[in-house]
Amino acid sequence: MLMQGIKSNPKNYIVILALSFSLSGAAPLAVQPVWADYQASNEVIRLNNAGVSALNRQAYTEAIRLLKQALKADPNYKMARDNLAIAYNNYGLQLQSTPMKALAQFHKAVLLNPDNPTTKQNVEGIIRSLNRDPNKFEDRVDLGDTCRKASDFAGAIVEYQAALSLKSDAKVWEKLGDVYRVANKLDDAVNAYET
């Protein structure tokens, strides 16, 4: 059930996060109301809540559009960022029959919320469906290269980072730096080049 931005006092708003489902068939995540002590504008809250409503209807492209608008209006609004990550994740689940398209959505979710275990499981599951090993350095580098060639910079970043978490490699650090540079994330590019 969606609860629209209910005012309990001038600073507190309630927002319900949408559910994520894992490729492994796990039960949906339990979602509790999240209270935000945040001075977001009514328009940002309206866009966020409309995005959550679209998520609940499984209208993922609409949810993504609305939540991106909320973040454009206020890039620091954590609720919209978390909900956008869920929208990308759930859209990826809908696209499972086309694994590379699903993986692209999961990558976007990981970039927004790298600590979400459900999205991490979904990335690993879809990689396995591609007959790759998510714990193999070479497979993650190859996926990063594939994403990079397709101008899927979010995917390249996620895959190169995953590869580097398995094994540090100067060539992959350079590839990651190049992707950050093209994506105009210059501080990250410098850090990658210096590693």
Side-chain angles (χ1 to χ4, degrees):
M1 178 171 100
L2 171 70
M3 299 180 73
Q4 301 289 327
I6 299 171
K7 239 183 196 181
S8 63
N9 74 44
K11 293 185 180 178
N12 293 325
Y13 294 91
I14 188 169
V15 178
I16 303 298
L17 297 175
L19 297 175
S20 287
F21 298 94
S22 170
L23 279 172
S24 64
L29 297 173
V31 179
Q32 297 295 320
V34 179
W35 294 93
D37 188 15
Y38 189 78
Q39 296 274 341
S41 74
N42 286 337
E43 179 63 9
V44 172
I45 292 169
R46 185 195 67 74
L47 287 166
N48 180 72
N49 289 344
V52 171
S53 178
L55 267 169
N56 288 336
R57 293 190 320 273
Q58 297 180 354
Y60 301 121
T61 56
E62 179 185 354
I64 289 166
R65 180 183 58 78
L66 291 164
L67 293 164
K68 284 171 94 175
Q69 285 179 355
L71 280 176
K72 185 176 181 181
D74 185 350
N76 297 316
Y77 191 43
K78 185 175 175 355
M79 292 296 158
R81 180 174 304 283
D82 290 345
N83 288 332
L84 182 57
I86 291 168
Y88 281 130
N89 178 76
N90 290 0
Y91 190 35
L93 291 172
Q94 189 179 64
L95 297 172
Q96 288 180 63
S97 62
T98 52
M100 287 305 291
K101 289 182 180 179
L103 185 58
Q105 299 304 313
F106 295 143
H107 286 150
K108 292 174 186 175
V110 168
L111 276 184
L112 288 167
N113 188 352
D115 298 323
N116 185 314
T118 301
T119 302
K120 286 180 181 181
Q121 285 178 328
N122 290 341
V123 168
E124 290 176 7
I126 207 76
I127 289 172
R128 284 187 185 94
S129 78
L130 292 166
N131 296 317
R132 306 282 186 107
D133 183 350
N135 297 310
K136 186 175 178 186
F137 172 81
E138 294 81 8
D139 284 353
R140 297 309 284 263
V141 172
D142 185 50
L143 284 168
D145 291 345
T146 299
C147 292
R148 182 179 176 190
K149 287 175 188 166
S151 298
D152 173 7
F153 301 124
I157 290 168
V158 169
E159 290 302 326
Y160 290 148
Q161 287 175 339
L164 290 165
S165 74
L166 297 168
K167 176 176 106 174
S168 187
D169 182 274
K171 289 181 182 180
V172 178
W173 279 111
E174 184 176 344
K175 289 179 182 189
L176 179 59
D178 289 345
V179 173
Y180 278 136
R181 182 184 47 77
V182 171
N184 203 28
K185 297 181 178 206
L186 301 181
D187 289 341
D188 292 326
V190 169
N191 289 335
Y193 288 137
E194 290 178 347
T195 302

